[in-house]
Amino acid sequence: MTALIVTIAVLLLICIRVPIAFALLLPSLGYLTFASSVPTSVAIERMVSSLNGFALLAVPLFILVGNVANNTGLASKIFDVAHSFVGRFRGGLGYVNVFSSLGFSWMSGTAVSDVAVMGSMMAPQMKKRGYKDEFIAGITSAGSLIAPVMPPSVPAIIFGVTSGVSIGALFIAGVIPALIVVLALCLSVWVYARKRDDLRQEAPPAKTILMSAVKALPVAFAPVIVLGGILGGIFTPTEAAAVTVAYLVVISAVFYRSLTLSAVRGALLATAKTTGSVMLLVAGATLYGWVLTVERVPQALGGLILGLTDNPIVFMLATIVLLLIIGCFMDTTAAILILTPVLLPIATSLDIDPVHFGILLIFTLLIGLMTPPVGLVLYVLESVTELRMPAILRGTIPYVLIYIGIALLIMFVPALTTWLPSFMNN
């Protein structure tokens, strides 16, 4: 009953727009003060220790990778090469949008940084070329979700730290689902533009294509460092993030000569702000999770679910519905931190692979970034473009359905997430 009261208080605070980190912290501190005999110092110690992990250090480092790439103009090199190769096709800027998001995802790891870059870069050009506002909003917001699925995925790091599942395996497991998303988005561009000859651009000269590819080569080597280093046993994910930051700083300073003091300052400030938000969420969710653990909520919920069904398909379908609802109201990081200790033990007891379940959980929660009332991607897109929220909402509805379909595909075909990690291990 006490845990239910705390949970209701959390939900009420979220509903009245209290920042999620504080919505988790305040009722949990109230529980410690009025309903628990555990000293407050113990809870504070748990909160601090939850932030004091080497693996969690990868989060600010990968956020810094994306900010360095954005502030030094490295992200534009990805756009240039994508535009050179696919801009000539009917609906070319739609394909450029998707493939630019794919390229930037190897350095970003978060949907918010991706939609901020792609929205400000792509929306004005697409609008000028005659693309509808709804399509621009839909393809840009949907493309931004590639970043937190494809390595280096920040949600995968959070899930790995929370669950103890290998972060490297989660990184590799996200590759095929991310590529399926790319394929689905490209198909949506083809459907939209198949009868629009006015959306075709002239093919650039071969020399231009070659030059854009050559200029992008140093940037394209960044994902090789991340995945190659982790898979080769050379780096941990945290070390790979640090090396990638150093590499991007060097190539932007030496090769592109785009590293300035203002770019460094901007990247560091943006990273500090995002990291502060994420770590406050981690602390709040850890304390709330501790309250649930003390009240034995995971065990009670696990017993209830297993009493209703021992069918893994039914459990995962119910989990998808639950995650879609929670994703609408709660930040992805907080949801992962709270739900993983509750749902993962049930999944493993039903012989569901933890890597498969982790990717399914992350992928489904990310859909909430495109749905109100939280829908952070929608608000960021509105802030960096001239698109208005009604058009953004209309444009994202078809892509929400596409993502739900892919989530169901991941659920029914575990090999999409388990085959590649197993192959790389062998």
Side-chain angles (χ1 to χ4, degrees):
M1 179 61 72
T2 308
L4 179 61
I5 294 172
V6 173
T7 301
I8 291 173
V10 169
L11 294 176
L12 287 175
L13 289 173
I14 291 174
C15 288
I16 61 173
R17 295 288 186 174
V18 173
I20 294 177
F22 293 103
L24 293 167
L25 278 170
L26 295 176
S28 302
L29 290 173
Y31 169 87
L32 282 169
T33 305
F34 300 108
S36 174
S37 59
V38 178
T40 307
S41 59
V42 174
I44 293 173
E45 183 182 343
R46 289 182 67 89
M47 287 173 54
V48 173
S49 64
S50 71
L51 305 177
N52 190 27
F54 181 70
L56 200 60
L57 184 59
V59 173
L61 287 172
F62 277 123
I63 293 171
L64 182 58
V65 167
N67 286 324
V68 168
N70 183 27
N71 284 40
T72 58
L74 299 184
S76 65
K77 309 301 177 187
I78 300 170
F79 168 80
D80 291 341
V81 72
H83 191 274
S84 297
F85 278 94
V86 298
R88 74 188 74 177
F89 300 113
R90 189 185 285 118
L93 285 181
Y95 296 116
V96 171
N97 196 324
V98 174
F99 285 107
S100 295
S101 289
L102 174 62
F104 189 60
S105 71
W106 292 101
M107 296 179 290
S108 168
T110 65
V112 172
S113 59
D114 186 288
V115 77
V117 173
M118 292 302 131
S120 57
M121 191 183 299
M122 292 299 309
Q125 296 193 48
M126 294 180 76
K127 198 175 180 71
K128 184 179 178 182
R129 292 283 181 176
Y131 291 82
K132 292 183 178 179
D133 287 358
E134 290 81 359
F135 178 74
I136 299 171
I139 199 69
T140 305
S141 58
S144 71
L145 299 197
I146 297 171
V149 179
M150 184 73 80
S153 162
V154 169
I157 297 171
I158 299 294
F159 179 85
V161 170
T162 307
S163 65
V165 176
S166 166
I167 296 174
L170 291 166
F171 277 3
I172 304 305
V175 171
I176 293 178
L179 293 178
I180 292 172
V181 170
V182 171
L183 183 63
L185 296 186
C186 286
L187 182 61
S188 75
V189 175
W190 178 82
V191 170
Y192 173 79
R194 67 189 185 282
K195 296 180 181 179
R196 295 281 304 272
D197 282 327
D198 59 310
L199 299 182
R200 190 195 299 270
Q201 296 178 248
E202 285 188 21
K207 184 179 179 181
T208 302
I209 296 175
L210 180 62
M211 287 300 296
S212 65
V214 170
K215 287 181 179 179
L217 275 178
V219 182
F221 192 68
V224 177
I225 295 175
V226 175
L227 284 183
I230 294 172
L231 294 177
I234 302 170
F235 308 131
T236 64
T238 303
E239 291 164 346
V243 171
T244 305
V245 170
Y247 172 75
L248 293 184
V249 168
V250 169
I251 64 170
S252 60
V254 177
F255 190 84
Y256 297 110
R257 300 187 181 278
S258 58
L259 187 70
T260 62
L261 286 176
S262 62
V264 172
R265 181 176 177 275
L268 291 175
L269 280 176
T271 302
K273 290 178 181 177
T274 307
T275 301
S277 300
V278 171
M279 294 306 167
L280 196 56
L281 271 173
V282 171
T286 298
L287 186 56
Y288 176 66
W290 177 80
V291 171
L292 297 182
T293 302
V294 169
E295 294 293 320
R296 299 187 62 80
V297 171
Q299 293 87 338
L301 189 59
L304 176 64
I305 292 173
L306 291 174
L308 294 173
T309 181
D310 59 357
N311 187 316
I313 298 296
V314 174
F315 167 71
M316 286 197 289
L317 281 172
T319 299
I320 286 176
V321 174
L322 174 67
L323 296 176
L324 287 173
I325 295 170
I326 289 177
C328 292
F329 299 97
M330 187 173 287
D331 177 84
T332 304
T333 299
I336 291 171
L337 289 162
I338 293 168
L339 294 175
T340 298
V342 175
L343 297 176
L344 185 60
I346 304 172
T348 52
S349 70
L350 295 174
D351 293 327
I352 299 170
D353 186 280
V355 172
H356 174 220
F357 184 77
I359 296 299
L360 180 65
L361 183 143
I362 291 166
F363 190 93
T364 310
L365 283 174
L366 289 172
I367 299 173
L369 292 174
M370 292 195 296
T371 57
V374 174
L376 191 55
V377 160
L378 308 180
Y379 299 113
V380 173
L381 185 61
E382 184 184 37
S383 69
V384 300
T385 66
E386 296 180 356
L387 302 174
R388 300 277 67 87
M389 188 55 70
I392 293 174
L393 291 173
R394 289 194 300 270
T396 53
I397 289 172
Y399 291 97
V400 168
L401 298 177
I402 289 172
Y403 268 87
I404 292 173
I406 297 173
L408 291 171
L409 181 65
I410 293 170
M411 186 199 79
F412 283 111
V413 189
L416 294 175
T417 58
T418 59
W419 175 80
L420 193 56
S422 177
F423 175 78
M424 299 305 293
N425 283 335
N426 293 332

